[in-house]
Structures are given as structure tokens and as C-alpha cells.
Amino acid sequence: MSLQEQKRARARMGKQERRNALIAYSFLAPNFLGFAIFTLVPVICAIALSLCEWNGGDVSKLRFVGLQNYGTIFNVNKVAEKGIGYFFSRVDLGIALKNTVFYTLITVPLTIVCALALAMLLNKARGAVAYRTIFFFPYVASMVAICVCWSFMLMKDGPINQLIMGLGIPFNKSWTADSNMAIWSIILVSVWRNMGYYMVIYLAALQGVPQELLEAATVDGAGKWKQFLHVTLPQLKPTTFFVSVMMIISCFKIYDVVAIMTDGGPGRSTKMLVTYIYDEAFIKVRYGQASAISMVLLVIVLLVTILQFRSEKKFSND
Amino acid sequence: MEQIVRQKAIRQDHPVLQRVVHSVIYLLLTLLAVFTLIPFVWMVSSSLKLDREVFSYPMRWIPETFHWENYRLIWQRVPLVTYFKNTAFIAIVVTLLQTLTSSFAAYAFAKLQFPGRDTLFLAYIATIAVPWQAYMLPQFIMMRSMGLYDTLWAMVVLQAFSAFGVFLMRQFYRGIPSELCEAARLDGLSEYGIWARIMLPLSKAAIATLVIFTFVNTWNDYMGPMIYLTRDFNKTIQVGLRRFIQENSSDYHLIMAASLCSLLPVSVVFLCLQKYFIEGIATSGLKG
Amino acid sequence: MKKMLALVLAAIMLMSVISFASAEDAVLTVVTWDATTTPYLVAQKEAFEASHPGVKIEYVDVASQDYAVKTTTMLEGGDASDVFMVKEIDNIINWQAQGFAEPLNAYVEKTNYDLSGFVGTEKNYSVDDELYAVPFRSDFWVLFYNKDLFDAAGEAYPTNDMTWDEYADLAIRLTKDGVYGTHYHTWLSAVANWTVADGVNTLADRNYDDLLYFYQLYQKLEDAGACMAYNELKAAGLHYSAAFANGNIAMLPMGYWYVSTLIGYNKDGTCSFNWGISAVPHAEGVKAGSSFGNLTGAMINIKSANKDLAWDYISWLGGEEGAAATASVGARPAYVSETVAAAMSSVEGFPTDETSKGALIPSFVGMEWPVAEKVADIKGIVNEEHTLIMTREITPEEGIAEMNERVAELF
């Protein structure tokens, strides 16, 4: 190939690429326009706000303060003086962070395992419609009703404790009124509510697992468990990526269950990042600090997501 | 068919063991289902009680007298019909727009190459990660200046273009083998054609999922309508429900009755779309 | 119940009529909470429209538990509703700082508005001697009691001069056969706010040692089974109104607003026992009849297009006529005069005994939460430690030490 031909080929390629990109953008446009105007722009404003002091009122009262909000929420002076232990035991942000991370670490794996197990058991099984509907029900019910309901269920002599006592375990504490148990009541309600939701996602994804692969595995003499490990699970990878990212994000953003059931208490035992943000923004009217806390949340979630995104790309080789 | 044959084959291998395992699984599932339903039983029972009986102690699963009038009362106390209509309007329009635009955008993210793809995708995810409470205010100020405040369209535009749908659909599309698209391209189909003739039919289960989620989330959203809808004829069910919780008294029996009513339409949507999880898709002849 | 329903329906119909009100009618939009179910709002609206022909009030109803978020967002977004009701003192302090509240001194001067009826409470709505809102409701706490249970136990009714120790003994004596001597709602205010009744302490004074007496008193009663346990109440979300209406609670310290609820309950048959009110007990060395309370008021939105009309409305609301309308349904107006007190005690269903009437005029009312620097932060801290003391995870002494330490760290 002569140099000129090569050049021409490259130009053709470039043209082709541009054309492809244009087509791709045309696919994106309808969603992106709405997304950019109604979500992206306000989010960028919020990011900018985290560097400002603004206690509401006219926008002219907005003042750029650099990283001062971050200094305040991390309580840098005190933490520098008394050590990192002080941050996690006394500073609001530290406590909220600790609670949120704990809640996420327990809830995410528990929900995924339950959801996947249910989806596997209910995929193409007899009588599955009834079961699926039942397990999805909690997600459909209105939040305020189910939270009130669960608070009552988890009372000292409520049905749940009676069940536990019935199993021979001596236990009669009121879940939501105990610092150590309160967060578990939030976890219980979250898993109960979301397990059916993620089950549905897995069910939908399972329909995309090619039958032939499973059959091939059966012919090879693989047991059900091996078939699951070596065929189904790898096929579900994109879905698991989606489920885990969405779960981590929604766990980090937990708000309504806490607001209705424990209101962050007792003490600060169920104070979460978003309950803290809500307080700062709408009770104490410090929008700058509220934004700064959300940025902390954003950075953590983004780091976790990028890590998962990388591993997803590595496995799918694209 | 094939499955039954296969199951038979296995059953012939270990007939007793297989049956025991099945029974145990069904037993466990049933127990879990009962556990899942307990709170709903309590909701139904509370919805038929008097206000002060709801939390009376020790608890009674079956009300002393059945107060069916609670179910009449909720429609009289608040304009629940209007709330239902508004919620249905928002939920339907949002679901349509969301499904359409996000399956479109997701195709680009999953199957097309273009500069800035991964960065843009991360930006989408990043916005999901920012709590709404943090950007509610800038968003509100903007929406107001557009004249959308206190209109149902405010809720539509806020929820129709969420990043969630794009993310969900992208992940499903990635599960569909790229070879299919390549083959179609060689056959001369345009990208739009591939999306319409190959991706859409193959992603019925995914679309059903997205429809259900969007519908449910819009239906049950509280904070959004609470902030954006103010006049009574614009309010939605979830906002209406909270009208039974007042500063100095709460009618939990009515809340339970009304939330059970609001559960019905969503359950119907779910049941209608159920079949797409069972049907599966015709992937025969494809290699993974 | 039926009457209530009729009232609600009437209100809804009225609202729909208003939206089609004739073009000449001036419409004043008033942002408030529980608009259709709060009897005094319905009464005020009727009375105002009757005395001001050609003016219509249109309520914008906001969920009470989200009032702060919703109103802040509305104002921040440039909402032009004419009047915003002030639910907590914090509201007006924030709105003033943000520049949403119309300064009112000029209006007061122009119309020669008499503030003396507010007996000083309007100071809570003032910043640097400029008035920003007019109070129209002032709820202070009284002691409700179930006369039937007292009769059955052969005890004399509470008087308007009783100490907290006497009250505790009484509560324990009344506790038997499934009857609870008293009842504490889960709020901080129900248990420990009494300390501000002496006119010296406030909850923002950065020293909480004075709360110890009340926490110990509470724990003594809880240990004796004289009140329902906090943990149970909290988990069940049991509301004090339903609890007292059940008829097995002898006494209940609660805000005055509960009077109208009880009158309603008596009317619709939710409960049928006889009840009365007395002044809340007082600590040793504090004047009998001292209590604490909270204000509700109304401010003019700086963006309102009808400021003069809005002033007509809020000045009427706070003044004697508005007070009469407020009092007519059992709520307590902020404006105090002989006429208003007479109106309060003559409400149908209000107890007729002298003690109850005497309890209408407290000797001193401290503010539940004062106007102070970083009061929202302090409120958060004190409430958090309160829940820990109440669930008994820490002793009152430890909790109070934490309050002192954490509040000190704020400054």
C-alpha cells in the first residue's frame, strides 16, 4: 500500500468514525438533553455550592469560602488535636459516615444473596407467579405505612421478638429504642423491602442466559451448583455490576426509613449521611455545608463505582 | 419441554433425594413468604380498626369490630380520586418517556463507540450518587423560573430522564452478544434498525423491568411531589397520604386503608408484566 | 366525628368555590399546615371573610412534618404567596435572616396597632427591635386529668398549686388495676422543658444541670410503673391523644392545643369520660402557675403584591377579633384580654370547674426554645442525648454531662 493510499484509508476511517459518533450522539440526545437540564446542571450547582457559604435568601448573599465548609464538617482543628478516634466517636460527620458504611456493608451483600437466591429458585418454577408477587409486594407499598408497621412489629413484645423467643433465644428488647439494635432494624426493613426489587432485576437477566449454554453444561455432567457457578453467574455479570452499584448508592443515600423509624436515634446511633445533609440544609439552613457533605458521599460512591467499572471492563474485555 | 425431560433424567438418578430437596425449598420459600406478608396482614387489620385501637396493647390481629367505613372515609376526608388521577398521569407519562429515551441512550452506551463514552457514562452514574436533598434547591429555583412549579409536568420532566433507566438498560444490552449487531450491520441494517429490530425484541424482560420500576418509583415518590406540587388539585397519593398525619394527631387506620388502596394499581401493573419474566427470549442459535 | 366531617367537607367546598371566586374579590394566599382539619383555621377564615367583604382567604396546605423544608424551598424559589404562618420561632428567625420577612414596625405605627395584648410574647418575633411577625396562638402547657379515674380512686383533683413531688406521689397512688397515674409523651418538652418555667433557665443557656431533677422524677415514675415505658411508646409511635382517650391514664401534662382535640373527641364519641385541666405542677421555689409554651404566628412575604391587605389580615388575626375566632374552637390565642378569656372558657365542651378556668391564665410562660445563637444545633444535641437518657442507655448524669460538653464545643 502506498503512502497516499494509507492516508486516504485513514481519512476514510476518520470520516467513518465521525459518522458513527454522530449516530451515537443521536441515540443519546433525547435522554441527555432532559438529563443535562434537569439533573446535571443542578448537580454542578450543588458542587459549586460546597465551596461557598450560603444561608439562604438572595443569591447575592452567596460568598466563596474555598474549602472552609469541608474544614467545618470534618472539624479539622479538633481532629488534628485529638486524633482520628475523635472524628469517628464525636464528630457528626464521622458518626454518620461510620453508621452509613456499616449499614451498607451489611445490607448490600445480604440483599444481593437473597435476591439472587430467590430469582434462581423462582425462575421458571411452578407456582412462581404467586411467590414473585409476594416478594415484590414490600417494594410497592408506601414507605410511611410500612415503616410505621415495622416499628410496631419490632416492639419489645412484638411479633418479631415473640418469633425469636419462640426459637428459644432469650431476647426482649425494643429494636428501635436500643442503640445497638436500631441500625439492625433499619437493615432488616431495607433487606425486606429491596430483596424483591433486585430479585426482579435478576429474573429479567436470567431470561437472557442462553439455554444452550446451560444444556451444554448439563451434557458435560455439571451439577446444578457447578452450572450456576460456571455458566449462570458469569452471564449475570453485567447485572450484578448494576445491582451492586445501585445498591451501594442507594444504601449510601438511605433516608426515608431512618427518618420515619428512628429519626437518627437513639442518640446518634442511626444518624446517616443524608439525615445529616437534611438537617444541615433545612433545619440549620447551611446550604454550603450540606453540599460539602454530599460531596463526601459522592466521592466515596464514585470511587467504589469506578473500581467496579474497571473490573467489569476487565472481565468483559471491551 | 426440554427442562422437564432433563428434570426427569435427574429425578431418575436420585428420585428420593430430589423430592426431599424440592420440598425443603418450597417449605423455606413459603416460610419466607409468610414472613414477608406479616406486616401486610397487620396493615389490613389496622385499616379496619378505630384510630386508638391501632396501637393498643396487647395487639389484636383480628379487630374487635370491623370498621369497613374507614375505606369510605378516606375518599371523603381528602380528594383521593384527584390524587389518584394525578399520580396515574405522572406515572404513565414518565414511564413512557423514560423507557423510550433510556433504551435509546443505553444502546449507544452499550454497543456503539464514540469519544467520551466512558466519561459521560460515569457522569450519569455520578448524578445518581448525589443525594437529591443536596441539589433540590438549585433545581427548584431553575424549575420555577421555567414556570413549571406546581404543575404535573414538573414531576414528569424531573423523573423522565433519570440516569437510572439508562444504566439499567445499558447493563441488559451488554448481556446481548455483540456478534448479533455485527451480523445485522453486515446485512445492511442501520443502527436505528438494529435497535428497533434486534435490541428491542430481545430486551422485553428488561423493558418490563424498567416499566415496573419507573412506575412504582414514580407512584410512590413523596419528596418530589411534596416540594413541587402545592395546590390541592395537583397533589399525588403519597402527599395525600400524609394529610392523615397531622401536627397533633395521626389517623394511622386511615393511612393504612389509603396505602392499601394505592397498592392496587401498582400490583396490577406488576402482574400484567409478570409474563415477560417467564417467557424468556428466543436466543436459540446464538452463541454466548 | 360527623360534625368534624361536615366541617371538613364544608371547608373543601368552600375552597373550590373560592377558586372560582368572582374577579372583584381580592384573594390573599396564606401558607399553613393541616388547613382543612385544624378547627381554628376554618373558624378564622370564616370570621375574617365575614368581616372583610370582598376579600377571600386561600390556604396553601403544607404537610405539617415537612413545613420547614417546603416553605423554605418555596420562599427560596421566589414564591409570592402573601402570608406565611410561623410554625416555630426558628422559622421566622431564618426567614428574617434570609430577607423573606417584611419588617412590620412601619405598619404598626401607621395603623396604631396595639401590641400590649400580646403581653411581651411578640418580642420572640422581633430582631433588633423590628417586628417581623404577629403571634396569633400561644400554647402553654397544662395538666390534663381524667376526673372519672380520680373519683374512682377517691383522690382529690389536682389543684393549680401543686409541686412536682406532690404530683409524683399522686401519680404513684393512682397507679393500680391497669390505670397509669400519668403519661409522658416522648418529646423532650414533655419531660424536661419544665426547667424553663422558673424564668431563669433556658434550654440554650449551655448548662443542663437543672434538667437532672426532672429526669430523675421521670425515671422514678417509670420504675414505679406509673407511666408507660418510653421504649414502648417510641417503638409503637403511640400518640398521646389516643393514649389518653383510651381512658386508663389519670394525668397528662400536655400543650393547651389538646383541649380542642378532647372537646372534639367528646363530641364524636371517641371518648366519653369527664376531664379537667389544671396548671402544671411547679418546682419548689417557683411560682405556682408557671409553665412554658410555644408561639404560632403569621408573617408577610416580602414578595407579596398585597402587603397592605396582608397586614390587615395578620393584624386582625393577632388582634382581639381574630383571637375571639381562634378561642371559639378551643385554641388559645396569643392576645390575652378579659373578653378572650371569657370566650375560651365558654367554648362548648370546656370543663366548667373553677380550677380549669383558673388554669387558663398562667402566672408565667417561658419559651420552649428561646431565640439564641446556634439554637438549631443545640436543639439537635439536647434531643439526641435526651433519647439516650430515656432509653436508659446512659444515666441522666452522664447524659447531662454530654449535653454540657457537646454544646460547649459548638462555641
Side-chain angles (χ1 to χ4, degrees), chain C residues 144-147 244 259 262-263 266 273-277 349 351:
Chain C
F144 290 84
Y145 60 95
N146 183 327
K147 288 183 175 172
F244 191 68
V259 167
L262 270 181
I263 291 177
N266 279 157
F273 54 80
N274 295 300
W275 54 275
I277 60 171

Side-chain angles (χ1 to χ4, degrees), chain A residues 23-81:
Chain A
I23 290 175
Y25 292 140
S26 75
F27 270 97
L28 282 175
N31 190 278
F32 184 75
L33 280 180
F35 167 76
I37 298 172
F38 298 110
T39 311
L40 200 58
V41 171
V43 166
I44 292 170
C45 290
I47 296 174
L49 204 54
S50 76
L51 301 173
C52 300
E53 187 186 83
W54 187 40
N55 301 335
D58 205 53
V59 186
S60 62
K61 292 186 180 171
L62 204 138
R63 200 162 57 88
F64 181 81
V65 292
L67 295 175
Q68 188 190 303
N69 288 326
Y70 293 90
T72 315
I73 58 170
F74 280 97
N75 203 345
V76 223
N77 297 337
K78 268 275 168 55
V79 173
E81 179 192 322

Side-chain angles (χ1 to χ4, degrees), chain A residues 20-298:
Chain A
N20 281 348
L22 272 182
I23 290 175
Y25 292 140
S26 75
F27 270 97
L28 282 175
N31 190 278
F32 184 75
L33 280 180
F35 167 76
I37 298 172
F38 298 110
T39 311
L40 200 58
V41 171
V43 166
I44 292 170
C45 290
I47 296 174
L49 204 54
S50 76
L51 301 173
C52 300
E53 187 186 83
W54 187 40
N55 301 335
D58 205 53
V59 186
S60 62
K61 292 186 180 171
L62 204 138
R63 200 162 57 88
F64 181 81
V65 292
L67 295 175
Q68 188 190 303
N69 288 326
Y70 293 90
T72 315
I73 58 170
F74 280 97
N75 203 345
V76 223
N77 297 337
K78 268 275 168 55
V79 173
E81 179 192 322
K82 299 194 174 175
I84 197 76
Y86 180 85
F87 177 67
F88 287 111
S89 63
R90 306 287 299 182
V91 180
D92 279 338
L93 180 68
I95 291 172
L97 210 55
K98 197 174 66 181
N99 291 337
T100 312
V101 169
F102 177 80
Y103 164 81
T104 308
L105 283 180
I106 306 283
T107 310
V108 173
L110 210 58
T111 313
I112 292 185
V113 169
C114 288
L116 186 56
L118 283 179
M120 289 302 295
L121 290 175
L122 294 176
N123 188 25
K124 303 190 170 106
R126 247 181 304 151
V129 180
Y131 282 108
R132 266 182 237 147
T133 317
I134 290 174
F135 293 127
F136 191 64
F137 239 50
Y139 192 78
V140 178
S142 92
M143 208 63 188
V144 59
I146 60 167
C147 287
V148 169
C149 193
W150 271 106
S151 301
F152 196 71
M153 297 280 121
L154 294 170
M155 269 172 61
K156 194 169 157 213
D157 300 306
I160 301 297
N161 280 4
Q162 279 172 0
L163 205 76
I164 298 175
M165 299 272 273
L167 295 173
I169 305 160
F171 185 88
N172 68 341
K173 271 183 179 170
S174 176
W175 288 52
T176 48
D178 182 283
S179 284
N180 298 316
M181 292 306 292
I183 199 157
W184 288 97
S185 64
I186 308 286
I187 291 172
L188 177 70
V189 175
S190 304
V191 175
W192 172 81
R193 183 162 190 264
N194 291 321
M195 144 184 115
Y197 177 89
Y198 291 104
M199 169 195 80
V200 166
I201 299 187
Y202 271 122
L203 271 173
L206 280 174
Q207 312 313 315
V209 177
Q211 245 350 286
E212 303 73 43
L213 283 181
L214 294 174
E215 272 151 31
T218 321
V219 172
D220 292 346
K224 285 233 156 159
W225 179 243
K226 276 202 169 152
Q227 189 185 320
F228 170 72
L229 274 187
H230 298 299
V231 183
T232 315
L233 214 49
Q235 283 289 319
L236 290 178
K237 196 142 239 150
T239 310
T240 305
F241 170 68
F242 172 78
V243 168
S244 49
V245 168
M246 284 308 295
M247 274 230 71
I248 289 171
I249 291 177
S250 67
C251 281
F252 263 90
K253 292 203 307 189
I254 173 94
Y255 173 72
D256 30 13
V257 185
V258 181
I260 305 174
M261 282 184 68
T262 63
D263 199 20
R268 284 184 275 184
S269 61
T270 50
K271 188 175 197 133
M272 302 287 177
L273 282 172
V274 178
T275 27
Y276 184 32
I277 292 171
Y278 186 94
D279 270 8
E280 284 297 316
F282 299 109
I283 307 296
K284 298 167 188 167
V285 208
R286 290 189 286 242
Y287 299 124
Q289 281 185 36
S291 285
I293 307 164
S294 358
M295 289 313 121
V296 174
L297 192 153
L298 174 65

Side-chain angles (χ1 to χ4, degrees), chain C residues 38 140 161 187 209 216 228 252-253 258 261-262 304 342 357 407:
Chain C
T38 307
F140 59 101
D161 183 4
W187 301 325
D209 296 339
Q216 284 172 339
M228 285 184 214
L252 169 74
Y258 190 45
T261 314
L262 270 181
S304 160
K357 280 184 193 162
V407 170

